[in-house]
């Protein structure tokens, strides 16, 4: 069963608090596709963007590699993926980045086709005019300096006004909430926080075509990975109407870290997620798709 029983979820939310503020809805699993390629740069995918027609994909590796690909579909199934190109994600000086500096985790596509990437090792967000272009690093406020070195900006999203949102994987407010940072083109702010529920940590975010804010979360144990997808309506800088759409059991999917929300040609709301295989033979690069309730 892809989503836990209502009794288990309610019990967990009672322990986390604010049970009356959360609605549980059921997403429908569509497909799980194992993506394979033998190049040494292939793997570690931590972010994904799917085009409106569902046939073009941008994927980002956490080792500073950007990939574009075409998706072949057979109904609700992925039949194949053809890589169109790949580029190194460069520094502001046009150099290839290695180690912590190149720990690229989130991607958000701007209306003009340029894109932003969030980095976790050295906490920052950078703008890129095109694949292969050098970075323009956004200002870094003092609040970024104290974030957990391996637990900051895994998720990055852009709203319909072109504002960027990023949130931390591990670093929390004094009250234990998840801080959400926003870049409005001139400065960073913290317009709202999200409730931390259970042992899940945020790893990806997106604004759907429905305008709602989606957050993919992960829980790790010795026996494998669990995934959870939540969403909110954001009104007047307040997240409202929290919903849990997906909560998987251990081992249902691999290490899902990337998220893209889109509508298919039938007008149905879809979530496409991609896994980070950590460049390990025991893991796999997996594309997972669900139909979401409107």
């Amino acid at each position: 069963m892809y989503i836990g029983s209502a009794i288990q979820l309610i019990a967990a939310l009672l322990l986390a608090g604010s049970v009356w503020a959360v609605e549980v809805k059921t997403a429908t699993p569509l497909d799980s596709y194992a993506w394979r390629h033998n190049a040494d740069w292939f793997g570690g995918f931590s972010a994904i963007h799917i085009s409106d027609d569902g046939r073009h994909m941008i994927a980002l590796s956490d080792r500073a590699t950007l990939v574009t690909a075409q998706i072949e579909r057979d109904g609700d199934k992925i039949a194949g993926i053809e890589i169109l190109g790949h580029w190194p994600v460069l520094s502001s000086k046009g150099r290839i980045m290695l180690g912590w500096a190149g720990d690229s985790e989130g991607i958000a596509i701007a209306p003009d086709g340029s894109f932003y990437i969030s980095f976790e090792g050295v906490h920052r967000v950078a703008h890129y005019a095109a694949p292969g272009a050098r970075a323009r690093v956004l200002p870094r406020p003092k609040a970024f300096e104290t974030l957990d070195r391996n637990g900051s900006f895994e998720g990055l999203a852009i709203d319909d006004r072109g504002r960027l949102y990023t949130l931390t994987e591990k670093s929390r407010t004094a009250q234990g909430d998840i801080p959400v940072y926003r870049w409005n083109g001139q400065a960073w702010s913290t317009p709202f926080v999200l409730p931390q529920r259970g042992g899940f940590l945020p790893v990806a975010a997106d604004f759907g075509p429905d305008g709602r804010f989606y957050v993919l979360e992960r829980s790790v144990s010795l026996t494998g990975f669990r995934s959870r997808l939540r969403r909110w309506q954001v009104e007047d800088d307040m997240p409202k109407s929290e919903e849990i759409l997906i909560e998987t059991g251990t081992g249902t999917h691999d290490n899902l870290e990337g998220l893209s929300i889109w509508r298919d040609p039938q007008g149905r709301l879809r979530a496409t997620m991609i896994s980070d295989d950590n460049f390990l033979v025991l893991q796999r690069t997996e594309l997972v798709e669900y139909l979401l309730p409107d």
Side-chain angles (χ1 to χ4, degrees), residues 145-188:
E145 298 175 3
T146 59
L147 298 177
D148 189 288
R149 184 176 186 184
N150 193 35
S152 65
F153 304 140
E154 291 228 3
L156 187 66
I158 190 167
D159 68 12
D160 58 6
R161 295 171 57 181
R163 299 177 299 182
L164 289 174
Y165 295 73
T166 188
L167 64 169
T168 57
E169 181 186 9
K170 296 178 182 178
S171 298
R172 295 291 177 265
T173 67
Q175 293 74 35
D177 295 316
I178 303 165
V180 177
Y181 300 96
R182 182 172 67 197
W183 172 257
N184 66 2
Q186 296 181 330
W188 288 99

Side-chain angles (χ1 to χ4, degrees), residues 218-267:
R218 172 188 60 198
S219 174
V220 184
S221 71
L222 293 176
T223 55
F225 302 94
R226 298 178 65 206
S227 299
R228 183 172 71 188
L229 181 64
R230 293 193 283 169
R231 73 182 176 192
W232 292 261
Q233 293 277 6
V234 180
E235 300 175 3
D236 299 323
D237 289 344
M238 289 291 294
K240 302 177 180 179
S241 305
E242 179 184 346
E243 297 173 337
I244 295 177
L245 304 174
I246 300 169
E247 187 168 318
T248 70
T250 303
T252 301
H253 302 301
D254 207 284
N255 179 27
L256 297 182
E257 282 201 12
L259 171 70
S260 185
I261 308 294
W262 55 287
R263 285 198 186 276
D264 64 20
Q266 291 76 42

Side-chain angles (χ1 to χ4, degrees), residues 4-20 22-24 197 244 247:
S5 71
I7 293 176
Q8 290 174 323
L9 281 172
I10 290 171
L13 293 172
L14 278 169
L15 291 174
S18 301
V19 64
W20 53 85
V22 183
E23 183 177 358
V24 178
R197 300 198 186 279
I244 295 177
E247 187 168 318

Side-chain angles (χ1 to χ4, degrees), residues 48-277:
I48 188 171
H49 173 79
I50 301 294
S51 64
D52 292 340
D53 63 2
R55 296 188 177 276
H56 292 86
M57 174 178 73
I58 299 172
L60 177 69
S61 165
D62 61 10
R63 294 189 182 178
T65 298
L66 188 72
V67 181
T68 60
Q70 181 170 312
I71 302 175
E72 180 184 351
R73 295 185 178 274
D74 183 7
D76 284 338
K77 302 293 184 181
I78 296 175
I81 298 177
E82 178 188 0
I83 294 175
L84 302 178
H86 73 281
W87 300 264
V89 177
L90 301 178
S91 72
S92 60
K93 296 181 179 180
R95 297 173 181 170
I96 292 176
M97 295 181 289
L98 301 174
W100 286 108
D103 188 5
S104 47
E105 296 285 352
I107 192 167
I109 310 300
D112 64 359
S114 65
F115 55 91
Y116 297 85
I117 290 178
S118 60
F119 295 84
E120 185 177 44
V122 180
H123 319 305
R124 68 198 190 280
V125 176
H127 178 255
Y128 291 85
R134 64 177 59 191
R136 178 179 65 85
V137 179
L138 303 186
R140 298 174 60 209
K142 290 186 177 180
F144 288 9
E145 298 175 3
T146 59
L147 298 177
D148 189 288
R149 184 176 186 184
N150 193 35
S152 65
F153 304 140
E154 291 228 3
L156 187 66
I158 190 167
D159 68 12
D160 58 6
R161 295 171 57 181
R163 299 177 299 182
L164 289 174
Y165 295 73
T166 188
L167 64 169
T168 57
E169 181 186 9
K170 296 178 182 178
S171 298
R172 295 291 177 265
T173 67
Q175 293 74 35
D177 295 316
I178 303 165
V180 177
Y181 300 96
R182 182 172 67 197
W183 172 257
N184 66 2
Q186 296 181 330
W188 288 99
S189 63
T190 308
F192 57 84
V193 299
L194 299 176
Q196 172 73 48
R197 300 198 186 279
F200 288 90
L201 303 177
V203 291
D206 196 16
F207 279 94
D210 56 355
R212 286 177 283 197
F213 187 52
Y214 290 77
V215 175
L216 172 64
E217 298 170 294
R218 172 188 60 198
S219 174
V220 184
S221 71
L222 293 176
T223 55
F225 302 94
R226 298 178 65 206
S227 299
R228 183 172 71 188
L229 181 64
R230 293 193 283 169
R231 73 182 176 192
W232 292 261
Q233 293 277 6
V234 180
E235 300 175 3
D236 299 323
D237 289 344
M238 289 291 294
K240 302 177 180 179
S241 305
E242 179 184 346
E243 297 173 337
I244 295 177
L245 304 174
I246 300 169
E247 187 168 318
T248 70
T250 303
T252 301
H253 302 301
D254 207 284
N255 179 27
L256 297 182
E257 282 201 12
L259 171 70
S260 185
I261 308 294
W262 55 287
R263 285 198 186 276
D264 64 20
Q266 291 76 42
R268 301 175 300 176
L269 197 60
R270 288 206 199 195
T272 300
M273 293 162 280
I274 193 169
S275 67
D276 175 1
D277 67 354

